[in-house]
Amino acid sequence: MADFQSIAPRDHEAYMRFALSLAEKSDPKPTNFRVGAVLVDEASNQILSTGYTLELPGNTHAEQCCFEKFSASKGVAADDVGTVLPESTVLYTTIEPCNKRSIGNLPCTERILKTRSAAKGGIKTVYLGVKEPETFVGENKGRAKLEEAGIECVHVTGFEKEILDVATAGHPS
Ligand code: HJL
Ligand code: ZN
């Protein structure tokens, strides 16, 4: 991916700001949060994929769009994205990955865990900008579930207000 390659390695604030700029591309809706996500190979500092809520057709989440765009670019099925991710892949997401979804949709937490059970690579660390507000599903256990499974979760602080302002722009005031 060619854009935004000026981010220095492990500049978590800059990557989070980039993820927030992606969230701003999502159409404001009262029924969801506008989230942005970036997949990065931390060893080479390459951006592998980007995504934002509803970027792909259907009721798609930011992290899901990241994964589906990357698997498509590698010519593998979405389910097999973990087989084509480098060992040192990390995910930046403005809001903690979800753990509960409307019927028929796999939670992003499960998608992340599945990348680790694949033969090669997978997500090793998730950098998140804010805990999910309890608006839609009550307390989100996404982070706890990832940590239990050995995936490191790091809260990149300082963007909470901006992230929530963007995420809830379509919600009634
Ligand atoms: C994250 C997103 C997104 C959410 N969270 N991390 N990325 N939209 O792109 C979390 C929220 C879910 C509800 C409803 N949102 O989206 O809890 O209808 O939107 O499947 O759980 O689930 P659906
Ligand atoms: Zn999700």
Side-chain angles (χ1 to χ4, degrees):
M1 204 131 187
D3 54 348
F4 224 85
Q5 284 298 298
S6 56
I7 297 179
R10 302 181 60 86
D11 186 343
H12 308 310
E13 284 75 19
Y15 275 117
M16 192 54 72
R17 191 159 284 294
F18 180 40
L20 182 56
S21 75
L22 296 168
E24 286 177 318
K25 293 184 173 188
S26 182
D27 278 344
K29 299 251 158 88
T31 46
N32 67 16
F33 297 118
R34 299 160 82 209
V35 178
V38 190
L39 262 183
V40 178
D41 178 3
E42 210 161 57
S44 64
N45 195 41
Q46 288 295 305
I47 292 175
L48 302 171
S49 188
T50 62
Y52 56 87
T53 309
L54 305 183
E55 179 182 354
L56 293 179
N59 179 12
T60 51
H61 281 192
E63 302 91 322
Q64 175 183 3
C65 292
C66 259
F67 292 147
E68 290 188 4
K69 285 164 68 182
F70 188 69
S71 58
S73 78
K74 293 288 174 188
V76 302
D79 267 4
D80 295 332
V81 67
T83 63
V84 287
L85 288 173
E87 280 290 343
S88 42
T89 303
V90 301
L91 174 72
Y92 290 86
T93 181
T94 56
I95 296 186
E96 165 190 25
C98 71
N99 190 40
K100 210 180 269 178
R101 293 209 53 180
S102 320
I103 294 179
N105 290 301
L106 193 65
C108 295
T109 296
E110 302 289 343
R111 292 176 199 270
I112 292 166
L113 292 177
K114 265 173 65 177
T115 71
R116 296 276 351 156
S117 55
K120 178 187 156 211
I123 310 281
K124 70 174 185 94
T125 305
V126 174
Y127 297 98
L128 57 102
V130 77
K131 187 169 172 55
E132 185 184 324
E134 298 193 5
T135 319
F136 298 119
V137 295
E139 195 193 356
N140 178 7
K141 301 254 172 37
R143 177 181 182 166
K145 197 160 166 184
L146 291 170
E147 287 178 330
E148 266 167 40
I151 294 180
E152 181 188 24
C153 294
V154 179
H155 183 172
V156 178
T157 58
F159 299 93
E160 294 82 356
K161 185 178 181 312
E162 274 177 273
I163 286 173
L164 291 175
D165 283 350
V166 170
T168 60
H171 296 193
S173 46

